[in-house]
Amino acid sequence: MIKSMTGYGKAEFETGNKKITLELKSLNSKQLDINSRLPMLYREKDLVIRKEISEKLIRGKIDFSLYIENLGAESNSAINENIVSAYFKQLSAIQTNLGLPVTEQIMQNIMRLPDTVKTVYEELDENEWINILARIQDVIATLLEFRSQEGQALDRDIRGNIADIQQLLKQIEPFEGQRIENVKTRIQDNLNEIALNGNMDKNRFEQEMIYYLEKLDINEEKVRLTNHCEYFLETLDSTQDVGKKLGFIAQEIGREINTIGSKANESNIQRFVVQMKDALERIKEQLLNVL
């Protein structure tokens, strides 16, 4: 069963005094393209996350995000008491020397100065990371399930369009015999207009007629188109990731349809060819999203 490249997975959970949200999105792409957004604390695990994603998702434009919300009263920022005290002593001395009163306004000014607030960088807790990694694997599994469900819908649509092509191909057959007779009649009429007065080698005429009609014969194209459609359906049943392979087969199907159209010389057959091209275009659009 084919899979779509479109998918989505999300998980929210609490660990310690943190609420962690994981979000994974996938869109169609010719190759694997991973974009990760991580807090500074987890940047060192970026390669591990990418490896986990690439092994499971294979192809697509992947966006992974990890958000952290602190639920506790603790903060990563703290006042640098030594710096603030030094600033206060220096400013107080300057104001005293200038005969200015030392007011509470001085603290507001001090807190605007450099290095009064320091950031305390948290170290990564390995137990917390093991928990997060397990949840990342769950999110990937959710996205894969989403891809499978989308793939089932794509599979139904693609099979329906292949069935349309096969049915249209069968509807061509009743018009083939009349097409050949029309070509013969047209050639004979053109020769009569030239008025050769019977000065014509009938054997040579028959040879040329046979050669010309062989050039217009579409039986080989019909057989190849039938085989390509059957091979396409066989490939759809594969357990492998076959999106690119199906695209190549669709190109071959299009080549045979175009050849039939160029040889048709019959309005009804041309009409069926246009409908087959329309069905094939719908298939190609859907294949862009097949893994």
Side-chain angles (χ1 to χ4, degrees), residues 25 34 66 97 101 107 142 169 173 182 184 235 237 270:
K25 293 184 286 188
I34 301 175
L66 190 158
N97 292 336
M107 287 303 299
T142 301
L169 183 60
E173 293 179 7
N182 291 342
K184 287 181 179 180
T235 306
D237 293 327
Q270 290 283 11

Side-chain angles (χ1 to χ4, degrees), residues 270-287:
Q270 290 283 11
R271 179 163 52 85
F272 292 131
V273 166
V274 169
Q275 294 178 53
M276 284 193 284
K277 286 182 177 181
D278 184 47
L280 182 61
E281 281 304 308
R282 293 195 296 271
I283 290 171
K284 287 181 177 179
E285 289 176 6
Q286 292 157 336
L287 288 179

Side-chain angles (χ1 to χ4, degrees), residues 133-199:
L133 182 59
R135 297 304 181 99
I136 290 174
Q137 292 168 343
D138 291 341
V139 169
I140 292 174
T142 301
L143 187 142
L144 288 173
E145 179 61 27
F146 193 108
R147 279 184 164 187
S148 295
Q149 293 174 3
E150 288 285 309
Q152 291 175 12
L154 284 173
D155 184 86
R156 287 192 297 270
D157 288 342
I158 292 172
R159 287 180 189 275
N161 285 310
I162 287 292
D164 288 344
I165 292 174
Q166 291 173 319
Q167 186 60 36
L168 289 164
L169 183 60
K170 291 178 182 178
Q171 294 179 36
I172 287 176
E173 293 179 7
F175 299 97
E176 287 191 72
Q178 186 60 44
R179 177 180 74 103
I180 297 299
E181 291 302 319
N182 291 342
V183 171
K184 287 181 179 180
T185 301
R186 187 165 62 249
I187 293 174
Q188 187 66 59
D189 291 343
N190 290 337
L191 288 173
N192 291 337
E193 288 179 8
I194 298 174
L196 295 176
N197 298 321
N199 296 323

